[in-house]
Amino acid sequence: MTPDVRPLVAGNWKMNGTRAALDQIKAMAAGVDGPLAEKVDALICPPATLLYVATALSTDSPLMIGAQDCHQNAAGAHTGDISADMIADCFGTHVIVGHSERRSDHAETDHLVRAKAQAAHAADLTAIICIGETAEERKSGQTLDILKRQLALSVPDGATAEDTVIAYEPVWAIGTGLTPTVEDIEAAHAFMRAELASRFQAAGRTMRILYGGSVKPGNARELMAVENVDGALVGGASLKASDFLAIYNAYEALTA
Ligand code: 13P
């Protein structure tokens, strides 16, 4: 955790979820509607097909709804893409950009990720900018160099603690059940904090840095307690309300 920084527990449903999954959104909206919401934010990023209905189901709840990607342009001839404005129009508040699956499936570069974050900001959305090293990069001792480069190139100038969230997701930890050690996470987050503070001064000292990669109810409390870990970006365990809420509720003990 970081002093005076409000944690964010965010779920990324990836390419999962049809209308049948809306019951999970309803349960999450009800589950986060309690005293912990005064201290901890909760966000779910369902597929774009469910975005509008999901926001309608959570209007009376502190649960926020976001999207998983946006195009870098405001509008135009880009078949199959969605714009940041379209997300805002559906009452989405956040958009994930630069997830490692987009970087690998769609060859997204740091330069493109930065443009997408700028598009998100132009639509008054908070950009959740994902970074993280691959297994090979880690093995060859390049982790911090990769994080430095991705932060420098993917995060736009002028980013603020309000409009930007960093999500550190080691690629090898995504969907594998593997996580770095607490010491490794602490070192990576301390490094990112220092990089952000040197570039963005006060904004960099309070910009949220989430950890993502095999976060589960069983390890959430230990991982979220790490210094400079300001929440989680959860994949698989965010699909079920009971698991997502268990991760969110890990903050009951941490914020007591
Ligand atoms: P898992 O939690 O399934 O490992 O996925 C993490 C992730 O990629 C979230 O964006």
Side-chain angles (χ1 to χ4, degrees):
M1 302 175 77
T2 306
D4 301 324
V5 172
R6 209 179 144 80
L8 167 66
V9 178
N12 172 13
W13 278 14
K14 310 190 179 184
M15 199 171 71
N16 298 291
T18 57
R19 285 179 296 144
L22 292 169
D23 283 347
Q24 300 301 314
I25 300 271
K26 276 189 216 163
M28 291 172 188
V32 301
D33 195 4
L36 193 57
E38 282 163 33
K39 299 179 188 163
V40 182
D41 288 333
L43 168 76
I44 287 289
C45 301
T49 47
L50 298 181
L51 192 59
Y52 184 59
V53 190
T55 59
L57 288 175
S58 48
T59 41
D60 295 329
S61 158
L63 181 70
M64 298 180 289
I65 302 293
Q68 301 173 13
D69 179 52
C70 67
H71 196 274
Q72 66 275 23
N73 291 353
H78 303 290
T79 302
D81 278 307
I82 62 170
S83 72
D85 264 339
M86 292 170 183
I87 297 164
D89 183 54
C90 289
F91 306 108
T93 53
H94 293 63
V95 60
I96 299 168
V97 293
H99 192 281
S100 72
E101 288 148 18
R102 301 251 4 138
R103 290 178 188 259
S104 63
D105 291 358
H106 300 273
E108 294 196 0
T109 61
D110 288 318
H111 178 78
L112 178 63
V113 173
R114 175 191 283 235
K116 289 184 174 207
Q118 284 169 323
H121 293 161
D124 288 329
L125 298 179
T126 298
I128 302 178
I129 302 174
C130 301
I131 62 172
E133 81 287 356
T134 63
E136 291 69 38
E137 289 162 344
R138 187 177 193 84
K139 270 188 220 120
S140 57
Q142 295 180 72
T143 298
L144 300 185
D145 293 337
I146 296 293
L147 298 183
K148 186 182 179 81
R149 190 202 76 214
Q150 291 183 331
L151 277 180
L153 300 181
S154 303
V155 183
D157 292 335
T160 70
E162 288 72 40
D163 69 18
T164 301
V165 174
I166 306 300
Y168 170 49
E169 300 204 305
V171 178
W172 53 274
I174 295 176
T176 58
L178 303 171
T179 60
T181 62
V182 162
E183 291 73 25
D184 283 347
I185 294 178
E186 192 172 309
H189 279 246
F191 176 79
M192 292 182 281
R193 175 65 68 213
E195 290 290 307
L196 292 170
S198 105
R199 180 167 166 206
F200 297 108
Q201 289 81 43
R205 287 193 287 277
T206 53
M207 193 175 284
R208 292 186 279 196
I209 310 176
L210 311 184
Y211 168 77
S214 298
V215 177
K216 310 274 178 232
N219 61 17
R221 191 161 153 185
E222 183 184 30
L223 298 178
M224 297 307 104
V226 175
E227 202 175 336
N228 289 305
V229 171
D230 308 310
L233 183 55
V234 186
S238 73
L239 295 171
K240 269 176 55 190
S242 53
D243 287 343
F244 180 75
L245 292 171
I247 294 169
Y248 180 77
N249 288 329
Y251 274 103
E252 266 167 13
L254 296 170
T255 58

